[in-house]
Amino acid sequence: LEWIEKKGGVSAIHKVNVEKADLLYNYLDSSGVYHATAEKGSRSLMNVSFTIANRELEAAFISESESAGMLGLKGHRHVGGIRASIYNAVSIENVRTLAEFMKEFARKNG
């Protein structure tokens, strides 16, 4: 709770979480390479799940993202895809780094 208070309280944390999720979902929705798996009205602020149009590229995406220091992006073991967990401790800078990685991956592989 002290950490939340230091960050400005629940409302401040929520505002940042909305900003982080919007950053990823807006990119996903505008990209022809990635597809958000959740409907707009049912999207999580904490777990952003998506696929790549060319599903064969998902393994390469996971491998390259791990090499770039981004861990835990592999999707559900039964559903597949990619899942970015952007919980409270994940900074907006971390999410921007992921979005930039996604743009570069799409540029190289799209």
Side-chain angles (χ1 to χ4, degrees):
L1 292 174
E2 289 174 5
W3 181 85
I4 291 173
E5 288 176 357
K6 286 179 186 175
K7 294 292 185 182
V10 172
S11 61
I13 297 263
H14 178 73
K15 182 180 176 185
V16 172
N17 286 339
V18 169
E19 183 180 355
K20 294 185 302 188
D22 283 351
L23 190 148
L24 283 181
Y25 286 123
N26 289 337
Y27 175 65
L28 290 169
D29 291 341
S30 68
S31 170
V33 175
Y34 303 100
H35 172 72
T37 57
E39 297 290 327
K40 286 187 179 181
S42 301
R43 292 179 172 177
S44 170
L45 295 180
M46 298 292 113
N47 289 296
V48 178
S49 298
F50 59 96
T51 57
I52 300 176
N54 178 351
R55 299 292 297 259
E56 294 176 6
L57 289 174
E58 288 181 4
F61 181 95
I62 299 299
S63 176
E64 290 180 30
S65 65
E66 287 176 352
S67 294
M70 292 174 272
L71 307 176
L73 290 170
K74 188 173 181 179
H76 191 275
R77 66 182 176 272
H78 296 298
V79 179
I82 300 160
R83 179 186 68 204
S85 295
I86 54 173
Y87 295 103
N88 295 337
V90 175
S91 71
I92 188 70
E93 291 79 20
N94 295 144
V95 176
R96 285 187 187 117
T97 298
L98 172 59
E100 289 303 315
F101 172 83
M102 292 168 67
K103 290 174 187 175
E104 180 61 16
F105 185 87
R107 186 193 66 72
K108 290 190 311 188
N109 296 286

